[in-house]
Amino acid sequence: QVQLAESGGGLVQAGGSLRLSCAASGASFSLLNMGWFRQAPGKEREFVAALRWSGSTLYNDDSVKGRFTVSRDNTKNTVYLQMNSLKPEDTAVYYCATGGWGPIEAPYDSWGQGTQVTVSS
């Protein structure tokens, strides 16, 4: 079982930036596909971005296109989500996950505890 731990959330003004980190342990990280999801209050969890072990990426273009970038550092067993030009509607708990690929949640079988991102207007 892979253990995941997110960090880097916080309070930021609209237009600002944050970088989330997700540290993984318990598996060969370089072979893992990783995903980022978020859940806003009163809403279902939604897909944000995904990063294959090979480096291929996938984004929720409708909500984060051109503003968020997912990357990884295999030497640190960590995946990142760089979030720029943040909007109040980006406010959510952000989760990293592994075991799946793309926007469908069901195949992801390991999840972090989440980190809160709050964007003030």
Side-chain angles (χ1 to χ4, degrees), residues 35-108:
W36 284 99
F37 291 78
R38 68 185 182 185
Q39 187 167 22
K43 296 187 178 182
E44 293 187 353
R45 190 157 54 189
E46 69 169 353
F47 170 74
V48 175
L51 176 59
R52 274 194 188 276
W53 65 271
S54 61
S56 300
T57 57
L58 185 67
Y59 294 94
N60 182 336
D61 286 345
D62 290 341
S63 59
V64 306
K65 182 179 181 180
R67 300 188 298 123
F68 290 12
T69 303
V70 61
S71 63
R72 67 194 301 155
D73 185 340
N74 290 337
T75 67
K76 297 181 179 180
N77 288 359
T78 300
V79 62
Y80 302 100
L81 184 67
Q82 178 68 44
M83 306 186 295
N84 299 328
S85 302
L86 283 162
K87 305 175 182 180
E89 50 264 44
D90 293 317
T91 295
V93 177
Y94 284 72
Y95 299 90
C96 67
T98 191
W101 167 248
I104 307 301
E105 283 192 39
Y108 291 89

